[in-house]
Every structure is written in structure tokens, then in C-alpha cells.
Amino acid sequence: MEYTILILALPMFSFLLLGLAGMKMSHKVAGTIGTLSLGIVTVLSYLTAFRYFTAPRTADGTFETLMPWNFEWLPFTESLHIDMGILLDPISVMMLVVISTVSLMVHIYSFGYMKGEVGFQRYYAFLSLFSMSMLGLVVATNIFQMYVFWELVGVSSYLLIGFYYTKPEAIAASKKAFIVTRFADLGFLIGILIYGYYMQTFEFDPAQERLMQAGMVLPLALGLMFVGGAGKSAMFPLHIWLPDAMEGPTPVSALIHAATMVVAGVYLVARMFPLFIGFAPETLHIVAYVGAFTAFYAASVACAQSDIKRVLAFSTISQIGFMMVALGVCTSMDPHEGGLGYMAGMFHLFTHAMFKALLFLGAGCIIHAVHSNEMSTMGGLRKYMPITHITFLIACLAIAGIPPFSGFFSKDEILAACFQFSPAMGWIMTIIAGMTAFYMFRLYYGIFWGTENKELHEHHTPHESPLSMTFPLMFLALITIVCGWIQPFGHFVSSNGHAYDIHLDMNVAVTSVVVALIAIAIATWMYARDRQPVADMLAKRFATLHRAAYKRFYMDEVWMFVTKRIIFRCVSKPLAWFDRHAIDQFMNFMAWCTNAAGGTIQPLQNGRIQSYTQWFYGGIIVLVVILLLS
């Protein structure tokens, strides 16, 4: 499969062409080049998936791991070197399909959404760079190559979030995303260096003897790597950058939230899963606890947000928490004996990518129609936007876990894995799943039902979006309906590589559906009518709690306090004082000593031959005396 190099080369070429010559092209030509390159990448990704998953399995019943391309880039020792290449295994091939599909839909959608925007060509150049970076991350042959593309993802997200660089909010959001993820990535880098030092390789599967020798260090290295993953995947308390990232164009939000940047941390844990299970199971369980708390926190905040993109942002944080929990509750490489969560997490990553992209692109159509993100400007839009209404409803049903939509199947597997791990964890995640259903239908009713803002609509009547924007909605809605029925998903991706037959745990399934239906019924009772007396009454009665949830439980304020009052005042200022009064003064002292020494010996350099001769013969006499005395 040597052609797979084109999966990275085409978007890279598109980025360079549009970045260097895009301003000389029309919007239509620039958009066509970017979309066509991603279209070819998508075809190649689907071809790769078809050929890979239909190829005969190895003798032990697993899929063969392929490296169509791999070359040594930076050698350090005979065994320690940084390679660049392409690795194909079940999870990387699955991710190629996910990333290329969502990215292509975003490229098509952007034709309509970004029409007439200043910097249209630059936008498509950044989209190509982002797609190439994420594709390179998932096919990395070693942990250091993954880190290189990991940082490229960070750079391209910074460029896209700050696309509207004339808006102070967009500038602040892009810097916030870059800085927070850089702090987390420092942990990732330190973990990689520890791993490389003790393993003497950057490969994902080091030699067994190295693993046995460095087994005590692996939990530390893997824990530090997870810090990087927690930053990219917006796990608490490193989640603060993601809601503000909504300042970028809405298609960018779909790309970041659905299939690329925020699932990078989940993919990292999945990629290192055999090492977590074999040598750091306690660290893996910490991943589960962090994911569970993050899922609950984000769901609580989503229940109180009024900006539709921020509701979806916290929904993403919560759903990524579900995926982390699924991986973290695994206790074995065998899916029948504690390893179900691996398959469940990857399955939910796949289904979530489709319906979350659908939700964000649907939100983009709504914002395009009413020119606002606030639910107060919406209400009653179902009669103006029928396609957006139906596709958005399908996505809401999917994320709520209602059968027969895709989210039901993947979320059921996660809950089953949680109950296998601990009944307490199972019930906690079931309750959070119910919260998901509640806030998503609160959002749905607030947009498409409720009280119509007739005064606002008189000045600007909402309308359905053009085909370039509604086609991706219909395509993703179709996938959302059918992809849950990919019951052989366990045949493609499982914790030990062997085929696993997905089967519903009826007790778990019935419980989760009942909880979701109760949550939807409560949301319907509170938000589906023209007025919302119950919601208003609860908001007033629990005003402190409601305001705290609306303000994200003041996590931004906590971080500002930690940053300004502790880091800047207690760390940065003393370091700055030490730099000025110790380091700088020491260097000034060295310069003064040099100048003084130069002034002392300056008379010796007077240009007089007699003086030079005197010092020359004087030196000879001193040397002769020393030799005679010795």
C-alpha cells in the first residue's frame, strides 16, 4: 500500500499551494483545490480500509501490522533513532476513515458558510494543514513522530481558532488554546524522553527485555504522556481552552470537536494501551477517574449554557470523558474478560465523530440563518429550516443514546464495560448519559420549538442554508443512522486484535434507554412550550448553582488566580529578580573583569619594538631560571 503516502502528501501540497499562491486565485478555485485534495484523500482512505480489513488475518487470528513507508530520520544510537513513516493497523486505518470523512464534509460545507469571507484562501490552506497533521498523527510509526504531528495539530488549531484575527476574542482564544496545550505537551515530551531513555527506542512495541528492565519507570512515563493527552482532549482541569475555541469559524469547531484534535488524547491512550495494561494498570484507572469527573463536570455546565456552540463544546468534553472512561476501566487485553472498554471507546469515537460533526454543522446553519449564537434569538426555527431541524434531531437522538441511532450502540458498550469494572462506575456513567440526553434536548427545543423571536425575525427572516451546507448534514445524518448497525466493528477493532462479536447487555441497554427517555421527557416538559415557567422558576430558586454552572464553576477565574497570583507573583517575579540581580549582575561583573584586565595589560600593547623585545627576553630568562632550578 505504498500509495498511502499520498494521504499525507496531497493535503500538504494543497497547504503549500494555497498558502503561497492562494491570494492569486479566486475563492472558487482555492476552495476546489482544497476540497478536491481531501476528496482524493478520502477515496484513498476508504480504499485502504477496504483492502486492509478484507485481507486474510495472520495465523494467530489478528490483522497484520503494515509499514508501507518507514525511514530513519534522526539516529542517536544503534537502537535509538527517530523514524518517519506510515503504520497501518486497525485503529490507524479506522481513524483514516473518520478524519477524512469529517474533513471532507467540512471542506464542502465551508463553500457555503465561508462564502465572501476575507481570507477564504488562507482558511482552506489552514484546513489542509490541519487535516494533514491529524492524518500524520494517526499513522505515526513511533511515539516521537506522533509528537511531531501532535505539535503540528496544535499550530494549525491556533491558526484556525484565530482565523478572525481582527477580533480580540478570537486572538485571546487562539492564544489560550496554544498556551494551555503547550503546558500539557511539556508533560508529553518529558514522558517521551523518559520512555526513550529507558526503552532505548521510540517504537510503540519495545523489546520485552527492555520492558522488564524499565517496568518501574513505565507508569511515570505513561502518566506524563497522558498529561499531554488530557490537554489535547480537554480533560479537567485542562479543558478551559476548548469552550473559547468556539471563536473560530463554526466548520473549524466541527473539525476540532468531531474527528481531529480533541480525540488525539483518546487515540494516544489507545495506541499505548498494551503498555498501560501490562505495566501501568493503576495509571490506566486514573485515566478512567479523570474521564468520569470530566464527563460529569462538562455535562453539568452544558445544562446552563445559552450559547449553542458552547453547549456543544461542553458536550464534546463530556463525550471525550466517556471514551477515556471506556479505555480506563479495562483490566485485561481480552475483551471477554475486562477488555471490552477498548473496543467500546473506539466504537464511540467513530460514532461520535459523525453525529458531533452533524451537530456543529447544523449549529452553523442555524447561526448562518439568525446571525447569533444565543438561544434567546432562536425558537420556532423548525418551520423555517426543515432539513437542519430533522438532521439536528437525528444527531440529538444519537448522542442521547436512543435506539436505533448509532450513539445507542456505542454508548451501551461503554456502560457495559463500566458495570464490568464497578457497579458504582456503571451507575455514575448512566446518570451522566441521562444528563447528556437532558441538555441536548434542552438545546433542541430552545432552537426549534419554544418561543419564536418574532421581532427579530421580522427584520431578518430565517431561511434554510444552501445545498453546499445541507448536503453534509444529510450525508452525516445518514451515517449516524446506519453506522451503529456496524455490529462487526468488534471484528475490526478489539483490545487483543481478535474478532469480537458485539452483543447488547439487555439490562444495561434497557436501563440506559429508560434513563435517557426520562431525561428527554423532563426537557420536553421544561422547554418545549412557548414559555418556560418551570425552567425560569428553577433558575431563580437555585440562582447560585445556576450562575456557577453558567460561569463554568469559575474554573477560568481559578486559573487566572493560579496564573497571576501564584505563578506570576510567587514564581515568575522571584525568577525575574534573580535573573536581573544575580545572572545579569554576574555577567556584568565578568564584563567588568574583562575590561579591567584589558586596561591593565593595555600598556604592554604599546606598539614599541623595544618594549616587546624587553618582555620577550625577560620571559626567556625566567624560563631558563625555572629549568635550571628544576
Side-chain angles (χ1 to χ4, degrees), residues 578-589:
F578 181 79
D579 179 65
R580 287 192 302 270
H581 294 86
I583 305 297
D584 286 355
Q585 292 302 321
F586 176 74
M587 298 308 297
N588 291 338
F589 174 74

Side-chain angles (χ1 to χ4, degrees), residues 254-465:
L255 192 58
I256 290 175
H257 285 252
T260 53
M261 185 171 178
V262 295
V263 298
V266 178
Y267 181 80
L268 171 65
V269 176
R271 172 58 70 199
M272 308 302 289
F273 183 76
L275 298 182
F276 273 106
I277 281 290
F279 298 91
E282 294 82 6
T283 305
L284 192 61
H285 297 336
I286 291 173
V287 172
Y289 302 139
V290 171
F293 182 82
T294 301
F296 175 75
Y297 164 82
S300 303
V301 174
C303 291
Q305 298 301 301
S306 59
D307 183 318
I308 63 173
K309 287 178 67 176
R310 279 182 167 75
V311 174
L312 295 178
F314 281 101
S315 169
T316 298
I317 296 172
S318 184
Q319 295 302 301
I320 297 297
F322 267 86
M323 299 174 206
M324 288 292 192
V325 169
L327 293 170
V329 297
C330 290
T331 57
S332 167
M333 288 292 292
D334 188 343
H336 297 281
E337 299 178 1
L340 174 61
Y342 180 92
M343 185 281 299
M346 293 297 99
F347 194 14
H348 196 59
L349 188 156
F350 182 85
T351 60
H352 173 265
M354 303 306 165
F355 58 69
K356 184 50 64 69
L358 175 55
L359 286 168
F360 266 106
L361 296 183
C365 290
I366 295 160
I367 294 167
H368 186 263
V370 301
H371 304 295
S372 174
N373 294 16
E374 292 293 326
M375 277 192 281
S376 59
T377 63
M378 302 169 192
L381 293 181
R382 66 189 185 282
K383 56 188 177 183
Y384 300 106
M385 309 176 69
I387 297 175
T388 303
H389 169 230
I390 295 300
T391 54
F392 200 91
L393 176 59
I394 290 171
C396 287
L397 291 167
I399 195 173
I402 303 299
F405 301 99
S406 59
F408 162 73
F409 297 98
S410 57
K411 192 169 287 187
D412 178 76
E413 296 298 324
I414 291 178
L415 295 178
C418 290
F419 275 107
Q420 284 182 7
F421 177 74
S422 162
M425 180 66 81
W427 281 110
I428 289 170
M429 299 312 295
T430 300
I431 292 170
I432 298 172
M435 295 172 67
T436 303
F438 172 80
Y439 68 68
M440 285 308 304
F441 274 84
R442 170 183 174 268
L443 178 66
Y444 165 73
Y445 287 124
I447 295 171
F448 296 104
W449 294 76
T451 305
E452 180 182 348
N453 194 326
K454 294 182 179 180
E455 181 180 349
L456 184 64
H457 294 174
E458 285 178 0
H459 301 287
H460 178 79
T461 303
H463 56 84
E464 190 59 273
S465 300

Side-chain angles (χ1 to χ4, degrees), residues 505-528:
D505 184 324
M506 292 309 298
N507 291 330
V508 174
V510 171
T511 301
S512 65
V513 171
V514 168
V515 170
L517 290 175
I518 292 172
I520 293 172
I522 294 172
T524 305
W525 175 54
M526 292 176 62
Y527 297 103

